[in-house]
Amino acid sequence: EVQLLDSGGDLVQPGGSLRLSCAASGFTFSSYAMTWVRQAPGKGLEWVSVISGSGGSADYADSVKGRFTISRDNSKNTLYLHMNSLRAEDTAVYYCAKDQIMGIAADYNWLDPWGQGTLVTVSS
Amino acid sequence: SYELTQPPSVSVSPGQAAKITCSGDALPKKYAYWYQRKSGQAPVLVIYEDSRRPSGIPERFSGSSSGTMATLTISGAQVEDEADYYCYSTDSSGNHRVFGGGTKLTVL
């Protein structure tokens, strides 16, 4: 059974940094791209970032580009999201999700399954 | 930027059919995917590639797409189907991923 376990969420001050983790099991981790999606309080889902199975390619939403960095350690079956220069509007539950292909192409690709989410709160 | 538009809410009585729409200019050429998110839980894929149902999803869930609109239909909605539903797709370039704004389904 494919399982994704998100962790690392915390209360952080504006301008601060945080690293989220997603531990994967039940599939060949390096064969699939992985994605981060977030949901701010009272808002809808927002796609954040994707990384290829090899880790060699990545893409970001404009709202986080230059501040967030996605990475993965295939030897540990773990996905990361490094968040810098955090803003109040980054407050959200962050979910990791498994793509259906190795590359970061969006076509013919979807997210399934998802982790349970981890809460990031940016506030002074 | 590309947008997918959903109605904010849909309300039906138990046993009635619930239809949730998602409109987007690229939908004639791009697949739509549907996610169910119950309160406090992770999103769950209920329809992929416009109309395909993952294993384990009840048969009452179906999807269709015509022109610029994709539709999720829950035939005979149950109280346990109350949730937020999100469509997901890409823009015409296939490079940018986007979620619809979400539709709150109430069954009562």
Side-chain angles (χ1 to χ4, degrees), chain A residues 78-100:
Chain A
T78 302
L79 172 73
Y80 302 102
L81 186 66
H82 308 260
M83 303 185 293
N84 295 322
S85 303
L86 283 162
R87 307 165 179 166
E89 54 264 35
D90 296 318
T91 295
V93 175
Y94 285 74
Y95 299 96
C96 67
K98 173 181 169 289
D99 286 56
Q100 303 307 299

Side-chain angles (χ1 to χ4, degrees), chain B residues 41-101:
Chain B
Q41 299 183 20
V44 173
L45 179 74
V46 295
I47 293 291
Y48 67 103
E49 293 182 344
D50 289 345
S51 60
R52 302 178 69 176
R53 191 175 56 250
S55 61
I57 300 301
E59 291 185 5
R60 63 181 180 272
F61 287 86
S62 64
S64 62
S65 187
S66 178
T68 59
M69 184 169 290
T71 301
L72 172 69
T73 301
I74 308 172
S75 305
Q78 307 295 311
V79 172
E80 61 261 33
D81 298 329
E82 279 202 345
D84 295 323
Y85 290 85
Y86 294 88
C87 61
Y88 172 74
S89 187
T90 65
D91 66 359
S92 57
S93 73
N95 293 328
H96 297 101
R97 302 153 181 80
V98 63
F99 287 94

